[in-house]
mmCIF file with all atom_site columns, all heavy atoms in Angstrom:
data_model
loop_
_atom_site.group_PDB
_atom_site.id
_atom_site.type_symbol
_atom_site.label_atom_id
_atom_site.label_alt_id
_atom_site.label_comp_id
_atom_site.label_asym_id
_atom_site.label_entity_id
_atom_site.label_seq_id
_atom_site.pdbx_PDB_ins_code
_atom_site.Cartn_x
_atom_site.Cartn_y
_atom_site.Cartn_z
_atom_site.occupancy
_atom_site.B_iso_or_equiv
_atom_site.pdbx_formal_charge
_atom_site.auth_seq_id
_atom_site.auth_comp_id
_atom_site.auth_asym_id
_atom_site.auth_atom_id
_atom_site.pdbx_PDB_model_num
ATOM 1   N N   . ARG U 1 8   ? 11.050  15.009  -0.591  1.00 35.00 ? 235 ARG U N   1
ATOM 2   C CA  . ARG U 1 8   ? 12.372  14.443  -0.843  1.00 35.00 ? 235 ARG U CA  1
ATOM 3   C C   . ARG U 1 8   ? 12.595  13.255  0.070   1.00 35.00 ? 235 ARG U C   1
ATOM 4   O O   . ARG U 1 8   ? 12.261  13.267  1.246   1.00 35.00 ? 235 ARG U O   1
ATOM 5   C CB  . ARG U 1 8   ? 13.445  15.506  -0.558  1.00 35.00 ? 235 ARG U CB  1
ATOM 6   C CG  . ARG U 1 8   ? 14.874  15.006  -0.742  1.00 35.00 ? 235 ARG U CG  1
ATOM 7   C CD  . ARG U 1 8   ? 15.844  16.109  -0.373  1.00 35.00 ? 235 ARG U CD  1
ATOM 8   N NE  . ARG U 1 8   ? 15.752  16.439  1.042   1.00 35.00 ? 235 ARG U NE  1
ATOM 9   C CZ  . ARG U 1 8   ? 16.463  15.833  1.994   1.00 35.00 ? 235 ARG U CZ  1
ATOM 10  N NH1 . ARG U 1 8   ? 17.296  14.879  1.700   1.00 35.00 ? 235 ARG U NH1 1
ATOM 11  N NH2 . ARG U 1 8   ? 16.331  16.201  3.262   1.00 35.00 ? 235 ARG U NH2 1
ATOM 12  N N   . ALA U 1 16  ? 21.433  12.981  4.999   1.00 65.00 ? 243 ALA U N   1
ATOM 13  C CA  . ALA U 1 16  ? 20.415  12.261  5.763   1.00 65.00 ? 243 ALA U CA  1
ATOM 14  C C   . ALA U 1 16  ? 20.777  12.222  7.241   1.00 65.00 ? 243 ALA U C   1
ATOM 15  O O   . ALA U 1 16  ? 21.940  12.114  7.613   1.00 65.00 ? 243 ALA U O   1
ATOM 16  C CB  . ALA U 1 16  ? 20.286  10.832  5.222   1.00 65.00 ? 243 ALA U CB  1
ATOM 17  N N   . HIS U 1 32  ? 17.095  -7.760  1.701   1.00 88.00 ? 259 HIS U N   1
ATOM 18  C CA  . HIS U 1 32  ? 18.549  -7.797  1.467   1.00 88.00 ? 259 HIS U CA  1
ATOM 19  C C   . HIS U 1 32  ? 19.316  -8.298  2.691   1.00 88.00 ? 259 HIS U C   1
ATOM 20  O O   . HIS U 1 32  ? 20.232  -7.634  3.170   1.00 88.00 ? 259 HIS U O   1
ATOM 21  C CB  . HIS U 1 32  ? 19.049  -6.392  1.091   1.00 88.00 ? 259 HIS U CB  1
ATOM 22  C CG  . HIS U 1 32  ? 18.559  -5.928  -0.234  1.00 88.00 ? 259 HIS U CG  1
ATOM 23  N ND1 . HIS U 1 32  ? 19.154  -6.286  -1.428  1.00 88.00 ? 259 HIS U ND1 1
ATOM 24  C CD2 . HIS U 1 32  ? 17.497  -5.150  -0.561  1.00 88.00 ? 259 HIS U CD2 1
ATOM 25  C CE1 . HIS U 1 32  ? 18.487  -5.739  -2.436  1.00 88.00 ? 259 HIS U CE1 1
ATOM 26  N NE2 . HIS U 1 32  ? 17.483  -5.051  -1.935  1.00 88.00 ? 259 HIS U NE2 1
ATOM 27  N N   . LYS U 1 43  ? 21.777  2.963   -2.213  1.00 89.00 ? 270 LYS U N   1
ATOM 28  C CA  . LYS U 1 43  ? 20.526  3.719   -2.071  1.00 89.00 ? 270 LYS U CA  1
ATOM 29  C C   . LYS U 1 43  ? 20.753  5.111   -1.503  1.00 89.00 ? 270 LYS U C   1
ATOM 30  O O   . LYS U 1 43  ? 20.096  6.078   -1.901  1.00 89.00 ? 270 LYS U O   1
ATOM 31  C CB  . LYS U 1 43  ? 19.552  2.950   -1.176  1.00 89.00 ? 270 LYS U CB  1
ATOM 32  C CG  . LYS U 1 43  ? 18.165  3.592   -1.055  1.00 89.00 ? 270 LYS U CG  1
ATOM 33  C CD  . LYS U 1 43  ? 17.216  2.678   -0.321  1.00 89.00 ? 270 LYS U CD  1
ATOM 34  C CE  . LYS U 1 43  ? 15.779  3.205   -0.383  1.00 89.00 ? 270 LYS U CE  1
ATOM 35  N NZ  . LYS U 1 43  ? 15.561  4.396   0.405   1.00 89.00 ? 270 LYS U NZ  1
ATOM 36  N N   . GLY U 1 62  ? 20.434  -3.767  19.740  1.00 80.00 ? 289 GLY U N   1
ATOM 37  C CA  . GLY U 1 62  ? 19.472  -4.861  19.818  1.00 80.00 ? 289 GLY U CA  1
ATOM 38  C C   . GLY U 1 62  ? 18.371  -4.807  18.784  1.00 80.00 ? 289 GLY U C   1
ATOM 39  O O   . GLY U 1 62  ? 17.370  -5.516  18.913  1.00 80.00 ? 289 GLY U O   1
ATOM 40  N N   . THR U 1 70  ? 32.270  -12.787 8.000   1.00 74.00 ? 297 THR U N   1
ATOM 41  C CA  . THR U 1 70  ? 32.185  -11.444 7.418   1.00 74.00 ? 297 THR U CA  1
ATOM 42  C C   . THR U 1 70  ? 31.675  -11.461 5.983   1.00 74.00 ? 297 THR U C   1
ATOM 43  O O   . THR U 1 70  ? 30.757  -10.710 5.624   1.00 74.00 ? 297 THR U O   1
ATOM 44  C CB  . THR U 1 70  ? 33.552  -10.759 7.465   1.00 74.00 ? 297 THR U CB  1
ATOM 45  O OG1 . THR U 1 70  ? 33.998  -10.714 8.823   1.00 74.00 ? 297 THR U OG1 1
ATOM 46  C CG2 . THR U 1 70  ? 33.463  -9.349  6.906   1.00 74.00 ? 297 THR U CG2 1
ATOM 47  N N   . ARG U 1 82  ? 8.490   -11.416 17.918  1.00 88.00 ? 309 ARG U N   1
ATOM 48  C CA  . ARG U 1 82  ? 8.497   -12.268 16.728  1.00 88.00 ? 309 ARG U CA  1
ATOM 49  C C   . ARG U 1 82  ? 7.744   -13.540 17.113  1.00 88.00 ? 309 ARG U C   1
ATOM 50  O O   . ARG U 1 82  ? 8.253   -14.368 17.872  1.00 88.00 ? 309 ARG U O   1
ATOM 51  C CB  . ARG U 1 82  ? 9.908   -12.603 16.264  1.00 88.00 ? 309 ARG U CB  1
ATOM 52  C CG  . ARG U 1 82  ? 9.935   -13.378 14.938  1.00 88.00 ? 309 ARG U CG  1
ATOM 53  C CD  . ARG U 1 82  ? 11.320  -13.898 14.607  1.00 88.00 ? 309 ARG U CD  1
ATOM 54  N NE  . ARG U 1 82  ? 12.271  -12.839 14.361  1.00 88.00 ? 309 ARG U NE  1
ATOM 55  C CZ  . ARG U 1 82  ? 12.478  -12.248 13.177  1.00 88.00 ? 309 ARG U CZ  1
ATOM 56  N NH1 . ARG U 1 82  ? 11.757  -12.610 12.137  1.00 88.00 ? 309 ARG U NH1 1
ATOM 57  N NH2 . ARG U 1 82  ? 13.372  -11.295 13.065  1.00 88.00 ? 309 ARG U NH2 1
ATOM 58  N N   . ALA U 1 112 ? -2.140  6.585   24.051  1.00 98.00 ? 339 ALA U N   1
ATOM 59  C CA  . ALA U 1 112 ? -3.440  6.174   23.517  1.00 98.00 ? 339 ALA U CA  1
ATOM 60  C C   . ALA U 1 112 ? -3.384  6.009   22.001  1.00 98.00 ? 339 ALA U C   1
ATOM 61  O O   . ALA U 1 112 ? -3.970  5.065   21.441  1.00 98.00 ? 339 ALA U O   1
ATOM 62  C CB  . ALA U 1 112 ? -4.509  7.186   23.908  1.00 98.00 ? 339 ALA U CB  1
ATOM 63  N N   . LEU U 1 137 ? 8.633   -4.165  15.959  1.00 91.00 ? 364 LEU U N   1
ATOM 64  C CA  . LEU U 1 137 ? 9.849   -3.472  16.375  1.00 91.00 ? 364 LEU U CA  1
ATOM 65  C C   . LEU U 1 137 ? 9.455   -2.146  17.004  1.00 91.00 ? 364 LEU U C   1
ATOM 66  O O   . LEU U 1 137 ? 8.611   -1.425  16.464  1.00 91.00 ? 364 LEU U O   1
ATOM 67  C CB  . LEU U 1 137 ? 10.740  -3.226  15.156  1.00 91.00 ? 364 LEU U CB  1
ATOM 68  C CG  . LEU U 1 137 ? 12.148  -2.683  15.383  1.00 91.00 ? 364 LEU U CG  1
ATOM 69  C CD1 . LEU U 1 137 ? 13.015  -3.729  16.050  1.00 91.00 ? 364 LEU U CD1 1
ATOM 70  C CD2 . LEU U 1 137 ? 12.773  -2.287  14.046  1.00 91.00 ? 364 LEU U CD2 1
ATOM 71  N N   . ASP U 1 144 ? 10.490  11.213  18.894  1.00 93.00 ? 371 ASP U N   1
ATOM 72  C CA  . ASP U 1 144 ? 9.406   10.398  18.361  1.00 93.00 ? 371 ASP U CA  1
ATOM 73  C C   . ASP U 1 144 ? 9.383   9.028   19.021  1.00 93.00 ? 371 ASP U C   1
ATOM 74  O O   . ASP U 1 144 ? 10.383  8.566   19.573  1.00 93.00 ? 371 ASP U O   1
ATOM 75  C CB  . ASP U 1 144 ? 9.584   10.159  16.851  1.00 93.00 ? 371 ASP U CB  1
ATOM 76  C CG  . ASP U 1 144 ? 9.801   11.432  16.069  1.00 93.00 ? 371 ASP U CG  1
ATOM 77  O OD1 . ASP U 1 144 ? 9.009   12.363  16.243  1.00 93.00 ? 371 ASP U OD1 1
ATOM 78  O OD2 . ASP U 1 144 ? 10.768  11.483  15.290  1.00 93.00 ? 371 ASP U OD2 1
ATOM 79  N N   . GLU U 1 146 ? 8.563   5.290   17.405  1.00 92.00 ? 373 GLU U N   1
ATOM 80  C CA  . GLU U 1 146 ? 8.334   4.621   16.133  1.00 92.00 ? 373 GLU U CA  1
ATOM 81  C C   . GLU U 1 146 ? 8.049   3.146   16.374  1.00 92.00 ? 373 GLU U C   1
ATOM 82  O O   . GLU U 1 146 ? 8.736   2.488   17.158  1.00 92.00 ? 373 GLU U O   1
ATOM 83  C CB  . GLU U 1 146 ? 9.548   4.780   15.216  1.00 92.00 ? 373 GLU U CB  1
ATOM 84  C CG  . GLU U 1 146 ? 9.944   6.237   15.014  1.00 92.00 ? 373 GLU U CG  1
ATOM 85  C CD  . GLU U 1 146 ? 10.929  6.438   13.883  1.00 92.00 ? 373 GLU U CD  1
ATOM 86  O OE1 . GLU U 1 146 ? 11.168  5.459   13.128  1.00 92.00 ? 373 GLU U OE1 1
ATOM 87  O OE2 . GLU U 1 146 ? 11.463  7.547   13.739  1.00 92.00 ? 373 GLU U OE2 1
ATOM 88  N N   . GLY U 1 153 ? 2.663   -12.480 5.016   1.00 93.00 ? 380 GLY U N   1
ATOM 89  C CA  . GLY U 1 153 ? 1.484   -12.980 4.318   1.00 93.00 ? 380 GLY U CA  1
ATOM 90  C C   . GLY U 1 153 ? 1.424   -12.589 2.857   1.00 93.00 ? 380 GLY U C   1
ATOM 91  O O   . GLY U 1 153 ? 2.433   -12.273 2.215   1.00 93.00 ? 380 GLY U O   1
ATOM 92  N N   . VAL U 1 161 ? -7.176  -6.452  -4.059  1.00 95.00 ? 388 VAL U N   1
ATOM 93  C CA  . VAL U 1 161 ? -7.407  -6.553  -5.503  1.00 95.00 ? 388 VAL U CA  1
ATOM 94  C C   . VAL U 1 161 ? -8.118  -7.855  -5.839  1.00 95.00 ? 388 VAL U C   1
ATOM 95  O O   . VAL U 1 161 ? -9.087  -7.885  -6.613  1.00 95.00 ? 388 VAL U O   1
ATOM 96  C CB  . VAL U 1 161 ? -6.068  -6.449  -6.270  1.00 95.00 ? 388 VAL U CB  1
ATOM 97  C CG1 . VAL U 1 161 ? -6.254  -6.850  -7.734  1.00 95.00 ? 388 VAL U CG1 1
ATOM 98  C CG2 . VAL U 1 161 ? -5.510  -5.038  -6.186  1.00 95.00 ? 388 VAL U CG2 1
ATOM 99  N N   . ASN U 1 168 ? -5.999  -2.624  -9.603  1.00 94.00 ? 395 ASN U N   1
ATOM 100 C CA  . ASN U 1 168 ? -4.576  -2.850  -9.351  1.00 94.00 ? 395 ASN U CA  1
ATOM 101 C C   . ASN U 1 168 ? -4.244  -2.363  -7.941  1.00 94.00 ? 395 ASN U C   1
ATOM 102 O O   . ASN U 1 168 ? -5.135  -1.933  -7.187  1.00 94.00 ? 395 ASN U O   1
ATOM 103 C CB  . ASN U 1 168 ? -3.710  -2.119  -10.396 1.00 94.00 ? 395 ASN U CB  1
ATOM 104 C CG  . ASN U 1 168 ? -4.095  -0.655  -10.541 1.00 94.00 ? 395 ASN U CG  1
ATOM 105 O OD1 . ASN U 1 168 ? -4.442  0.020   -9.556  1.00 94.00 ? 395 ASN U OD1 1
ATOM 106 N ND2 . ASN U 1 168 ? -4.049  -0.136  -11.754 1.00 94.00 ? 395 ASN U ND2 1
ATOM 107 N N   . ILE U 1 205 ? 2.636   2.338   4.875   1.00 95.00 ? 432 ILE U N   1
ATOM 108 C CA  . ILE U 1 205 ? 2.256   0.941   4.777   1.00 95.00 ? 432 ILE U CA  1
ATOM 109 C C   . ILE U 1 205 ? 2.683   0.409   3.415   1.00 95.00 ? 432 ILE U C   1
ATOM 110 O O   . ILE U 1 205 ? 2.341   0.979   2.376   1.00 95.00 ? 432 ILE U O   1
ATOM 111 C CB  . ILE U 1 205 ? 0.736   0.742   5.021   1.00 95.00 ? 432 ILE U CB  1
ATOM 112 C CG1 . ILE U 1 205 ? 0.370   -0.736  4.957   1.00 95.00 ? 432 ILE U CG1 1
ATOM 113 C CG2 . ILE U 1 205 ? -0.115  1.589   4.096   1.00 95.00 ? 432 ILE U CG2 1
ATOM 114 C CD1 . ILE U 1 205 ? -1.021  -1.057  5.492   1.00 95.00 ? 432 ILE U CD1 1
ATOM 115 N N   . TRP U 1 206 ? 3.503   -0.652  3.442   1.00 92.00 ? 433 TRP U N   1
ATOM 116 C CA  . TRP U 1 206 ? 4.024   -1.265  2.227   1.00 92.00 ? 433 TRP U CA  1
ATOM 117 C C   . TRP U 1 206 ? 3.283   -2.558  1.938   1.00 92.00 ? 433 TRP U C   1
ATOM 118 O O   . TRP U 1 206 ? 2.924   -3.300  2.856   1.00 92.00 ? 433 TRP U O   1
ATOM 119 C CB  . TRP U 1 206 ? 5.490   -1.646  2.376   1.00 92.00 ? 433 TRP U CB  1
ATOM 120 C CG  . TRP U 1 206 ? 6.489   -0.568  2.459   1.00 92.00 ? 433 TRP U CG  1
ATOM 121 C CD1 . TRP U 1 206 ? 7.234   -0.042  1.437   1.00 92.00 ? 433 TRP U CD1 1
ATOM 122 C CD2 . TRP U 1 206 ? 6.941   0.106   3.643   1.00 92.00 ? 433 TRP U CD2 1
ATOM 123 N NE1 . TRP U 1 206 ? 8.095   0.911   1.910   1.00 92.00 ? 433 TRP U NE1 1
ATOM 124 C CE2 . TRP U 1 206 ? 7.938   1.016   3.257   1.00 92.00 ? 433 TRP U CE2 1
ATOM 125 C CE3 . TRP U 1 206 ? 6.588   0.018   4.989   1.00 92.00 ? 433 TRP U CE3 1
ATOM 126 C CZ2 . TRP U 1 206 ? 8.583   1.838   4.179   1.00 92.00 ? 433 TRP U CZ2 1
ATOM 127 C CZ3 . TRP U 1 206 ? 7.219   0.833   5.904   1.00 92.00 ? 433 TRP U CZ3 1
ATOM 128 C CH2 . TRP U 1 206 ? 8.207   1.726   5.497   1.00 92.00 ? 433 TRP U CH2 1
ATOM 129 N N   . THR U 1 232 ? 2.967   -7.539  4.360   1.00 94.00 ? 459 THR U N   1
ATOM 130 C CA  . THR U 1 232 ? 2.632   -6.140  4.611   1.00 94.00 ? 459 THR U CA  1
ATOM 131 C C   . THR U 1 232 ? 3.517   -5.614  5.727   1.00 94.00 ? 459 THR U C   1
ATOM 132 O O   . THR U 1 232 ? 3.766   -6.308  6.707   1.00 94.00 ? 459 THR U O   1
ATOM 133 C CB  . THR U 1 232 ? 1.159   -6.003  5.025   1.00 94.00 ? 459 THR U CB  1
ATOM 134 O OG1 . THR U 1 232 ? 0.321   -6.470  3.964   1.00 94.00 ? 459 THR U OG1 1
ATOM 135 C CG2 . THR U 1 232 ? 0.799   -4.561  5.344   1.00 94.00 ? 459 THR U CG2 1
ATOM 136 N N   . ARG U 1 239 ? 5.034   11.882  17.286  1.00 97.00 ? 466 ARG U N   1
ATOM 137 C CA  . ARG U 1 239 ? 5.897   12.803  18.014  1.00 97.00 ? 466 ARG U CA  1
ATOM 138 C C   . ARG U 1 239 ? 5.537   12.794  19.496  1.00 97.00 ? 466 ARG U C   1
ATOM 139 O O   . ARG U 1 239 ? 4.365   12.748  19.857  1.00 97.00 ? 466 ARG U O   1
ATOM 140 C CB  . ARG U 1 239 ? 5.775   14.215  17.456  1.00 97.00 ? 466 ARG U CB  1
ATOM 141 C CG  . ARG U 1 239 ? 6.388   14.389  16.067  1.00 97.00 ? 466 ARG U CG  1
ATOM 142 C CD  . ARG U 1 239 ? 6.430   15.864  15.675  1.00 97.00 ? 466 ARG U CD  1
ATOM 143 N NE  . ARG U 1 239 ? 7.173   16.657  16.658  1.00 97.00 ? 466 ARG U NE  1
ATOM 144 C CZ  . ARG U 1 239 ? 8.500   16.783  16.672  1.00 97.00 ? 466 ARG U CZ  1
ATOM 145 N NH1 . ARG U 1 239 ? 9.245   16.159  15.774  1.00 97.00 ? 466 ARG U NH1 1
ATOM 146 N NH2 . ARG U 1 239 ? 9.078   17.528  17.585  1.00 97.00 ? 466 ARG U NH2 1
ATOM 147 N N   . PHE U 1 262 ? -19.225 7.196   11.830  1.00 93.00 ? 489 PHE U N   1
ATOM 148 C CA  . PHE U 1 262 ? -18.204 7.541   10.830  1.00 93.00 ? 489 PHE U CA  1
ATOM 149 C C   . PHE U 1 262 ? -18.926 7.904   9.537   1.00 93.00 ? 489 PHE U C   1
ATOM 150 O O   . PHE U 1 262 ? -19.132 7.075   8.661   1.00 93.00 ? 489 PHE U O   1
ATOM 151 C CB  . PHE U 1 262 ? -17.275 6.341   10.657  1.00 93.00 ? 489 PHE U CB  1
ATOM 152 C CG  . PHE U 1 262 ? -16.179 6.509   9.648   1.00 93.00 ? 489 PHE U CG  1
ATOM 153 C CD1 . PHE U 1 262 ? -15.753 7.761   9.215   1.00 93.00 ? 489 PHE U CD1 1
ATOM 154 C CD2 . PHE U 1 262 ? -15.541 5.387   9.131   1.00 93.00 ? 489 PHE U CD2 1
ATOM 155 C CE1 . PHE U 1 262 ? -14.744 7.906   8.285   1.00 93.00 ? 489 PHE U CE1 1
ATOM 156 C CE2 . PHE U 1 262 ? -14.518 5.508   8.215   1.00 93.00 ? 489 PHE U CE2 1
ATOM 157 C CZ  . PHE U 1 262 ? -14.123 6.764   7.784   1.00 93.00 ? 489 PHE U CZ  1
ATOM 158 N N   . GLU U 1 315 ? -18.072 15.707  -13.838 1.00 98.00 ? 542 GLU U N   1
ATOM 159 C CA  . GLU U 1 315 ? -18.585 14.451  -13.286 1.00 98.00 ? 542 GLU U CA  1
ATOM 160 C C   . GLU U 1 315 ? -18.665 14.507  -11.767 1.00 98.00 ? 542 GLU U C   1
ATOM 161 O O   . GLU U 1 315 ? -19.623 14.003  -11.165 1.00 98.00 ? 542 GLU U O   1
ATOM 162 C CB  . GLU U 1 315 ? -17.697 13.282  -13.730 1.00 98.00 ? 542 GLU U CB  1
ATOM 163 C CG  . GLU U 1 315 ? -18.225 11.911  -13.343 1.00 98.00 ? 542 GLU U CG  1
ATOM 164 C CD  . GLU U 1 315 ? -19.457 11.503  -14.144 1.00 98.00 ? 542 GLU U CD  1
ATOM 165 O OE1 . GLU U 1 315 ? -19.651 12.014  -15.270 1.00 98.00 ? 542 GLU U OE1 1
ATOM 166 O OE2 . GLU U 1 315 ? -20.224 10.660  -13.621 1.00 98.00 ? 542 GLU U OE2 1
ATOM 167 N N   . GLN U 1 321 ? -23.173 15.281  -7.836  1.00 96.00 ? 548 GLN U N   1
ATOM 168 C CA  . GLN U 1 321 ? -24.027 16.027  -6.918  1.00 96.00 ? 548 GLN U CA  1
ATOM 169 C C   . GLN U 1 321 ? -25.504 15.905  -7.291  1.00 96.00 ? 548 GLN U C   1
ATOM 170 O O   . GLN U 1 321 ? -26.361 15.791  -6.417  1.00 96.00 ? 548 GLN U O   1
ATOM 171 C CB  . GLN U 1 321 ? -23.627 17.498  -6.898  1.00 96.00 ? 548 GLN U CB  1
ATOM 172 C CG  . GLN U 1 321 ? -22.417 17.779  -6.054  1.00 96.00 ? 548 GLN U CG  1
ATOM 173 C CD  . GLN U 1 321 ? -22.743 17.786  -4.566  1.00 96.00 ? 548 GLN U CD  1
ATOM 174 O OE1 . GLN U 1 321 ? -22.819 18.825  -3.912  1.00 96.00 ? 548 GLN U OE1 1
ATOM 175 N NE2 . GLN U 1 321 ? -22.935 16.604  -3.999  1.00 96.00 ? 548 GLN U NE2 1
ATOM 176 N N   . ILE U 1 327 ? -25.575 13.920  -0.300  1.00 96.00 ? 554 ILE U N   1
ATOM 177 C CA  . ILE U 1 327 ? -24.157 13.892  0.060   1.00 96.00 ? 554 ILE U CA  1
ATOM 178 C C   . ILE U 1 327 ? -23.561 15.274  -0.141  1.00 96.00 ? 554 ILE U C   1
ATOM 179 O O   . ILE U 1 327 ? -23.711 15.887  -1.202  1.00 96.00 ? 554 ILE U O   1
ATOM 180 C CB  . ILE U 1 327 ? -23.391 12.859  -0.781  1.00 96.00 ? 554 ILE U CB  1
ATOM 181 C CG1 . ILE U 1 327 ? -23.913 11.451  -0.491  1.00 96.00 ? 554 ILE U CG1 1
ATOM 182 C CG2 . ILE U 1 327 ? -21.889 12.928  -0.484  1.00 96.00 ? 554 ILE U CG2 1
ATOM 183 C CD1 . ILE U 1 327 ? -23.275 10.367  -1.330  1.00 96.00 ? 554 ILE U CD1 1
ATOM 184 N N   . SER U 1 328 ? -22.883 15.765  0.872   1.00 95.00 ? 555 SER U N   1
ATOM 185 C CA  . SER U 1 328 ? -22.254 17.085  0.808   1.00 95.00 ? 555 SER U CA  1
ATOM 186 C C   . SER U 1 328 ? -20.812 16.944  0.359   1.00 95.00 ? 555 SER U C   1
ATOM 187 O O   . SER U 1 328 ? -20.039 16.174  0.934   1.00 95.00 ? 555 SER U O   1
ATOM 188 C CB  . SER U 1 328 ? -22.305 17.746  2.187   1.00 95.00 ? 555 SER U CB  1
ATOM 189 O OG  . SER U 1 328 ? -21.557 18.938  2.201   1.00 95.00 ? 555 SER U OG  1
ATOM 190 N N   . LYS U 1 340 ? -10.660 26.866  -11.249 1.00 98.00 ? 567 LYS U N   1
ATOM 191 C CA  . LYS U 1 340 ? -11.485 27.307  -12.387 1.00 98.00 ? 567 LYS U CA  1
ATOM 192 C C   . LYS U 1 340 ? -12.387 26.174  -12.872 1.00 98.00 ? 567 LYS U C   1
ATOM 193 O O   . LYS U 1 340 ? -13.572 26.381  -13.151 1.00 98.00 ? 567 LYS U O   1
ATOM 194 C CB  . LYS U 1 340 ? -10.586 27.778  -13.529 1.00 98.00 ? 567 LYS U CB  1
ATOM 195 C CG  . LYS U 1 340 ? -9.868  29.080  -13.270 1.00 98.00 ? 567 LYS U CG  1
ATOM 196 C CD  . LYS U 1 340 ? -8.959  29.425  -14.449 1.00 98.00 ? 567 LYS U CD  1
ATOM 197 C CE  . LYS U 1 340 ? -8.136  30.670  -14.163 1.00 98.00 ? 567 LYS U CE  1
ATOM 198 N NZ  . LYS U 1 340 ? -7.189  30.961  -15.282 1.00 98.00 ? 567 LYS U NZ  1
ATOM 199 N N   . PHE U 1 349 ? -24.028 23.050  -12.090 1.00 96.00 ? 576 PHE U N   1
ATOM 200 C CA  . PHE U 1 349 ? -24.940 22.328  -11.201 1.00 96.00 ? 576 PHE U CA  1
ATOM 201 C C   . PHE U 1 349 ? -25.963 23.279  -10.593 1.00 96.00 ? 576 PHE U C   1
ATOM 202 O O   . PHE U 1 349 ? -27.162 22.968  -10.532 1.00 96.00 ? 576 PHE U O   1
ATOM 203 C CB  . PHE U 1 349 ? -24.148 21.636  -10.095 1.00 96.00 ? 576 PHE U CB  1
ATOM 204 C CG  . PHE U 1 349 ? -25.018 21.032  -9.029  1.00 96.00 ? 576 PHE U CG  1
ATOM 205 C CD1 . PHE U 1 349 ? -25.803 19.920  -9.320  1.00 96.00 ? 576 PHE U CD1 1
ATOM 206 C CD2 . PHE U 1 349 ? -25.070 21.580  -7.759  1.00 96.00 ? 576 PHE U CD2 1
ATOM 207 C CE1 . PHE U 1 349 ? -26.617 19.359  -8.339  1.00 96.00 ? 576 PHE U CE1 1
ATOM 208 C CE2 . PHE U 1 349 ? -25.881 21.025  -6.775  1.00 96.00 ? 576 PHE U CE2 1
ATOM 209 C CZ  . PHE U 1 349 ? -26.661 19.912  -7.064  1.00 96.00 ? 576 PHE U CZ  1
#
Side-chain angles (χ1 to χ4, degrees):
R235 178 183 65 89
H259 292 278
K270 185 172 189 290
T297 303
R309 186 189 295 273
L364 188 69
D371 308 309
E373 305 193 10
V388 168
N395 51 37
I432 182 167
W433 291 265
T459 299
R466 290 189 57 83
F489 179 20
E542 186 71 24
Q548 281 283 255
I554 297 177
S555 172
K567 289 178 185 177
F576 172 69

